[in-house]
Amino acid sequence: MRLYEYIELVFTDYTLRTITLGTAVLGAICGMLGSFAVLRKQSLLGDAISHAALPGIAIAFLITETKNSNAFLLGALISGLIGSFWIRGIITKTKLKSDTALGLILSLFFGFGMLLLTYIQKMPNANQAGLENYLFGQAATLLASDVWMMAIITGICFCVLLLFWKELKLSVFDADYAKTLGFNTQFLDILITAFIVIAIVLGLQTVGVVLMSAMLLAPAAAARQWTNSLAIMITLAAIFGATSGVVGTAISATHEHLSTGPVIVLIAAVFVGISFIASPSRGLLFREIRFRKNRNDLQLHKTLSFMYNIAKDHEDITHPHAIKILNNFQGFTKRSLQKLEDKNYVSIQGTMWSLTPEGYQTAANLYNQLSHINDE
Amino acid sequence: MSRKIAVQIDDLTVAYNYKPVLWDIDLSIPEGVLMAIVGPNGAGKSTLIKSILDIIKPIAGSVKIYGKPYKKQRALVAYVPQKGSVDWDFPTTAFDVVMMGTYGSLGWIKRPGQKEKKAALEALEKVGMLSFRNRQISQLSGGQQQRVFLARALVQNAAIYFMDEPFQGVDATTEKAIINILKALRKAGKTVIVVHHDLQTVPEYFDWVTFLNVKKIATGPVKDIFNDDNLTKTYGINYKVALNQHPSP
Ligand SMILES: Nc1ncnc2c1ncn2[C@@H]1O[C@H](COP(=O)(O)OP(=O)(O)OP(=O)(O)O)[C@@H](O)[C@H]1O
Ligand SMILES: [Mg+2]
């Protein structure tokens, strides 16, 4: 299928449009809130909460005995919140490290959820089909009402972030200081954690328990690479998340047997990969390029200042010297001499070199700078 | 001396998980002093400051700032945390961090305006960091980060300043610059309380000193109580190692 045909389909096909919008909104809210999880170094939190939501879904089914995604959502929300507050409680009340607490809650709740799931599977209730979809998600089950719900909650989340922007920024950066200024950091902490729980619960139907934390973290981790501003980071994370949703949906819709959730997460992972390699300030690629360039510049400077030391003892600074005398000098290569000539710092006549006035001046400046640094 | 008391601490006891870190501290800090808190690593210096600022809840005891609990006197107090207590890779600029010093007087939700921006720029200027204002904080050196923290506290325009090791990792020039700022604060009538590690410079920099090692060993004017006796009580018999001096024969 051609790209424009697909785009046309998105606008005409009701189901596809619903799924595309749903995954886009989901990606956006996950990106926004994932930024906070990443900056608060709570990468495991998403995992713990999504796994903690599973028993809630199972219990909701046991109570209602029907497949009702709103009831499931509520169940997931309640058990996700219980899980996250137990984690907080364990961390503040005991000496356990936070990753221990997270791992503990994760396996406890997930184990309990799986237990309930196997029990439900044995029940003679035809409606039971579909519960295991929450493990890996099934975007096809998204309804327009689900998407509306996601959109409204994303809107609320966006407004809350705007409203408490400075407080959230401060408390994530320096919670103790925020406390001394009189801000209730516990409230802010609960606020952001509650929204993270909500985002995760919203995503369970689409992406599933197992991959949900990747959905939360990947766009934010990718966005962090491109900027040094919190606002831009969160915006970028939302854009990366939404794009992953749209592209992932497109790929899985146009290929047989590719479920949407995992494809979306893979696209998000591609964003992470590209960002870690190619970002200008933090990426590996540019770091290597910068490193090489710096090293080359330094080598040139070393050669130039060596020449300067030779030339400055002569009355005529452009007096020619043999290239041979540079050979024992460590910064020197044929290439660097060539580069110095290209820059018009030296001129070469046969086996002799001489500094140009321009080169002499540059070297003198370098020399002064260096000795100045040493003075300090 | 009939000086006003800026900070009054009575019977303060603090513990993390049952292990007492501060034991029954009584301390009154007069207004207008430049005071060093000295003591070995783990003595509870940071904890003392944190409990004064209500970051940590003590098991017992009370802290009064000009006669009232801290909660009522926030506007009078500024804080420079230990530099290592935050993640310097956080995506923000030096200017932004200094702006945080204005958040307290703004209160919830209200956004900083021109007045706050001007104050932040002035504070950056005072610590000689104006040209670094748009620099990402992870790209500042340790000493520059320390100065940004100092500027953030200066913006608070407080009466009492608490600083946790503001000289940590700064070079001699920066240290002089910072101490000059602190002395200027004292001259303006402010009270400045500094956790300090370099015992040699205590007499030169400070006029008041508190020796702390879980218990309060001594507190008072440097010229009266900064002596071998108190140093030994605080640091043990080998304190002279910390002074970088050889014991006299
Ligand atoms: N969050 C914490 N949980 C448990 N114990 C802690 C905590 N913070 C500090 N402690 C312990 O409390 C004691 C005092 O710590 P504090 O940080 O106040 O010491 P300090 O005098 O500031 O030391 P330093 O010179 O190293 O900064 C130490 O023994 C430390 O191990
Ligand atoms: Mg300390």
Side-chain angles (χ1 to χ4, degrees), chain B residues 70-128:
Chain B
Y70 176 74
K71 275 193 180 65
K72 297 224 163 88
Q73 305 282 47
R74 283 186 213 285
L76 298 179
V77 177
Y79 175 43
V80 179
Q82 224 165 334
K83 201 182 82 221
S85 65
V86 303
D87 172 18
W88 288 93
D89 199 30
F90 190 82
T92 192
T93 60
F95 175 72
D96 242 7
V97 172
V98 177
M99 281 299 277
M100 290 174 183
T102 67
Y103 288 4
S105 60
L106 283 168
W108 286 88
I109 296 171
K110 220 169 129 205
R111 296 292 161 106
Q114 284 311 317
K115 193 178 117 212
E116 283 77 22
K117 287 192 181 136
K118 203 171 138 252
L121 289 175
E122 275 168 17
L124 276 165
E125 166 108 70
K126 255 186 225 161
V127 299

Side-chain angles (χ1 to χ4, degrees), chain B residues 46 82 164-165:
Chain B
S46 300
Q82 224 165 334
D164 204 341
E165 301 192 28

